[in-house]
Amino acid sequence: LFRLFLALTLASAAVTLIAGIAAIAGAQEPDRIGRKGLVPLVVICWLLVARVPRTGLTKVLGLAGGRQPVRDIAGGLLCGVLSLVILNGVLLLLGARLIEPELGPAMLLLKTVLYLLQALALALLEESLFRGLLHGRLRATFGPTVAVILGSTIFAVSHFLRPPKTRPPEAWWDTMPACFAGLGEMFTLRWREVVGLLLVGLILAIVREGRRTIFLAMGVHAGWVWVRFTSNKTLEDVDE
């Protein structure tokens, strides 16, 4: 199981790193480099330098003890999708969102499938890092309560390691300093996102703690991301 997990993680990292290299080459906007390249690089570094005996690494990663990982991932995916579909349905009924598809039916179907693959890859990378190694190391050192709270805080903060709109990078070598400049927007312009990401991190950490593995949390995370990606192409917020 560990070898399969490692192979999938490295494959997902390779795909996202290629996207980062494409951004450096000018094929995409420079401010996409941080989000596409930072997480897989950190995951690989954790896997290479984590000082955990091989016999205990699967437990720290949250891979040990899962008898049916595919069922957990599928069940989590279903829960994640249903929860956001219900939320979007309520927002549609309240008139807070409108159905405004940007693509035709065929292209939307293709995009939906691609978004699912992207969501699974992103969930694999982020859960292996945050609810896997990070949560496991924090839990072993400080206990489950600190691991849930501190790990969720780090998860929320890490999503702001991207260039703010007010300070775009001038070139590819300026991307990382610009990413850290994005932290300044957390409690000024984007505090709602901080609260939302913190709640997401807490829910996923509690799920991981309850199941003792990351598979269910991985599925829930992928479901949320999949619906979010798809709804961005089909729904539009109503301006106040």
Side-chain angles (χ1 to χ4, degrees):
L1 182 60
F2 172 75
R3 291 181 180 179
L4 176 62
F5 170 80
L6 181 60
L8 290 173
T9 301
L10 293 177
S12 300
V15 171
T16 50
L17 284 174
I18 290 173
I21 293 172
I24 293 175
Q28 299 180 27
E29 293 296 326
D31 63 357
R32 302 286 291 179
I33 300 173
R35 294 298 302 279
K36 288 182 177 292
L38 183 62
V39 170
L41 280 175
V42 174
V43 172
I44 293 173
C45 290
W46 269 98
L47 288 172
L48 292 177
V49 305
R51 297 179 180 180
V52 180
R54 177 61 183 275
T55 55
L57 185 56
T58 54
K59 183 177 180 181
V60 172
L61 279 170
L63 300 175
R67 296 181 179 180
Q68 295 180 310
V70 175
R71 188 182 71 174
D72 280 353
I73 294 173
L77 182 69
L78 180 61
C79 290
V81 169
L82 286 178
S83 61
L84 281 196
V85 167
I86 292 172
L87 176 60
N88 281 322
V90 172
L91 292 176
L92 286 170
L93 290 175
L94 293 175
R97 308 200 81 178
L98 296 174
I99 299 177
E100 295 287 348
E102 298 179 5
L103 305 171
M107 182 58 66
L108 181 60
L109 178 61
L110 175 61
K111 284 285 188 179
T112 300
V113 175
L114 294 177
Y115 288 153
L116 174 59
L117 298 178
Q118 291 177 10
L120 290 171
L122 180 62
L124 171 64
L125 290 170
E126 292 198 353
E127 292 308 306
S128 64
L129 173 61
F130 293 106
R131 259 64 63 182
L133 279 166
L134 180 60
H135 183 93
R137 296 299 294 272
L138 289 173
R139 192 183 195 282
T141 304
F142 302 108
T145 302
V146 174
V148 168
I149 296 174
L150 183 57
S152 301
T153 303
I154 295 173
F155 170 77
V157 171
S158 69
H159 282 72
F160 292 88
L161 286 171
R162 54 187 176 187
K165 294 180 180 180
T166 56
R167 195 242 192 253
E170 297 179 0
W172 67 267
W173 59 80
D174 187 42
T175 298
M176 286 310 298
C179 283
F180 284 102
L183 295 174
E185 292 187 345
M186 282 179 30
F187 296 106
T188 54
L189 303 177
R190 306 170 65 183
W191 64 270
R192 292 182 180 86
E193 291 185 44
V194 177
V195 175
L197 286 167
L198 184 60
L199 289 175
V200 167
L202 287 171
I203 292 172
L204 293 175
I206 292 171
V207 170
R208 193 271 201 220
E209 188 64 29
R211 295 290 290 186
R212 302 294 186 185
T213 68
I214 65 172
F215 300 118
L216 185 61
M218 187 186 303
V220 174
H221 193 163
W224 286 343
V225 173
W226 188 24
V227 175
R228 179 171 173 266
F229 284 173
T230 305
S231 62
N232 285 341
K233 297 294 183 182
T234 55
L235 302 178
E236 184 177 342
D237 292 330
V238 176
D239 296 331
E240 296 181 358

